[in-house]
Amino acid sequence: QVRLEESGGGSVQTGGSLRLSCAPSENAFVNTCVAWFRQAPGKEREGVARIWTLGGNTYYADSVKGRFTISQARAANTIYLQMNNLKPEDTAMYYCAARPRWSCWEWPTDGETAWGQGTQVTVSS
């Protein structure tokens, strides 16, 4: 499986913004479902946003609609998650996931999904 490299986490105050990045160690995100998940202490992992790199279709969890934007920069072979108007409840470890040959009709979580190491996002009130 491809290795995913994440960056961009950090600590901000309520209302602040962060941009997370996810890039593969090799090859390109071609016909791939790339998603961001998050997991807060004591909570289950939840899908935040996903994008199908071939068609450009995007999907968002209700909790982040209107605040988060997932996008791709093909030239940079990178997927971004722009997070605006952050809230304390957004505090979590954020993980990038990539599932090749998957049109993103649901969250990629099967055995062919590659996962990043995670990047911490902390939002203080």
Side-chain angles (χ1 to χ4, degrees):
Q1 285 183 339
V2 66
R3 193 172 70 250
L4 301 176
E5 298 171 355
E6 303 146 324
S7 62
S11 297
V12 296
Q13 292 188 327
T14 297
S17 298
L18 286 172
R19 188 177 76 163
L20 306 183
S21 301
C22 175
S25 58
E26 58 186 32
N27 300 323
F29 284 140
V30 177
N31 190 20
T32 300
C33 180
V34 183
W36 286 96
F37 290 79
R38 66 186 180 187
Q39 187 166 22
K43 294 188 176 181
E44 292 188 356
R45 182 182 63 193
E46 64 171 341
V48 175
R50 64 189 193 261
I51 185 168
W52 181 35
T53 62
L54 186 61
N57 308 61
T58 58
Y59 308 86
Y60 297 92
D62 288 342
S63 58
V64 305
K65 280 181 182 176
R67 301 188 298 121
F68 291 11
T69 303
I70 190 169
S71 62
Q72 60 176 322
R74 284 196 173 92
N77 196 29
T78 300
I79 301 296
Y80 298 104
L81 183 68
Q82 178 67 43
M83 305 185 295
N84 297 329
N85 191 22
L86 283 161
K87 305 175 180 180
E89 51 263 42
D90 295 317
T91 295
M93 185 72 78
Y94 282 69
Y95 299 90
C96 179
R99 190 350 180 141
R101 302 174 301 281
W102 189 263
S103 61
C104 263
W105 60 279
E106 63 179 14
W107 298 103
T109 58
D110 68 0
E112 291 194 38
T113 300
W115 294 86
Q117 294 298 306
T119 184
Q120 179 67 39
V121 171
T122 302
V123 185
S124 58
S125 57

mmCIF file of all heavy atoms in Angstrom, residues 36-37 68 97 100:
data_model
loop_
_atom_site.group_PDB
_atom_site.id
_atom_site.type_symbol
_atom_site.label_atom_id
_atom_site.label_comp_id
_atom_site.label_asym_id
_atom_site.label_seq_id
_atom_site.Cartn_x
_atom_site.Cartn_y
_atom_site.Cartn_z
ATOM 1 N N TRP A 36 -10.664 12.307 4.752
ATOM 2 C CA TRP A 36 -10.156 12.703 6.061
ATOM 3 C C TRP A 36 -11.111 12.160 7.114
ATOM 4 O O TRP A 36 -12.330 12.352 7.014
ATOM 5 C CB TRP A 36 -10.048 14.214 6.183
ATOM 6 C CG TRP A 36 -8.904 14.792 5.420
ATOM 7 C CD1 TRP A 36 -8.947 15.330 4.174
ATOM 8 C CD2 TRP A 36 -7.540 14.875 5.854
ATOM 9 N NE1 TRP A 36 -7.687 15.753 3.800
ATOM 10 C CE2 TRP A 36 -6.808 15.483 4.810
ATOM 11 C CE3 TRP A 36 -6.861 14.491 7.011
ATOM 12 C CZ2 TRP A 36 -5.430 15.725 4.897
ATOM 13 C CZ3 TRP A 36 -5.496 14.735 7.097
ATOM 14 C CH2 TRP A 36 -4.803 15.338 6.051
ATOM 15 N N PHE A 37 -10.521 11.485 8.087
ATOM 16 C CA PHE A 37 -11.256 11.004 9.245
ATOM 17 C C PHE A 37 -10.691 11.714 10.478
ATOM 18 O O PHE A 37 -9.579 12.265 10.436
ATOM 19 C CB PHE A 37 -11.072 9.489 9.421
ATOM 20 C CG PHE A 37 -11.749 8.655 8.380
ATOM 21 C CD1 PHE A 37 -11.181 8.472 7.117
ATOM 22 C CD2 PHE A 37 -12.953 8.018 8.649
ATOM 23 C CE1 PHE A 37 -11.809 7.680 6.150
ATOM 24 C CE2 PHE A 37 -13.585 7.236 7.702
ATOM 25 C CZ PHE A 37 -13.010 7.065 6.452
ATOM 26 N N PHE A 68 -15.655 23.303 6.381
ATOM 27 C CA PHE A 68 -14.503 22.572 5.844
ATOM 28 C C PHE A 68 -14.658 22.416 4.335
ATOM 29 O O PHE A 68 -15.761 22.247 3.819
ATOM 30 C CB PHE A 68 -14.392 21.184 6.461
ATOM 31 C CG PHE A 68 -14.004 21.151 7.917
ATOM 32 C CD1 PHE A 68 -13.993 22.292 8.702
ATOM 33 C CD2 PHE A 68 -13.642 19.941 8.507
ATOM 34 C CE1 PHE A 68 -13.641 22.252 10.039
ATOM 35 C CE2 PHE A 68 -13.277 19.877 9.845
ATOM 36 C CZ PHE A 68 -13.288 21.038 10.608
ATOM 37 N N ALA A 97 -6.925 9.058 4.487
ATOM 38 C CA ALA A 97 -7.101 7.689 4.004
ATOM 39 C C ALA A 97 -7.265 7.725 2.491
ATOM 40 O O ALA A 97 -7.887 8.649 1.961
ATOM 41 C CB ALA A 97 -8.314 7.046 4.656
ATOM 42 N N PRO A 100 -7.674 3.318 -3.617
ATOM 43 C CA PRO A 100 -7.633 3.391 -5.074
ATOM 44 C C PRO A 100 -8.806 2.660 -5.721
ATOM 45 O O PRO A 100 -9.401 1.762 -5.124
ATOM 46 C CB PRO A 100 -6.300 2.704 -5.420
ATOM 47 C CG PRO A 100 -6.037 1.808 -4.265
ATOM 48 C CD PRO A 100 -6.609 2.487 -3.057
#
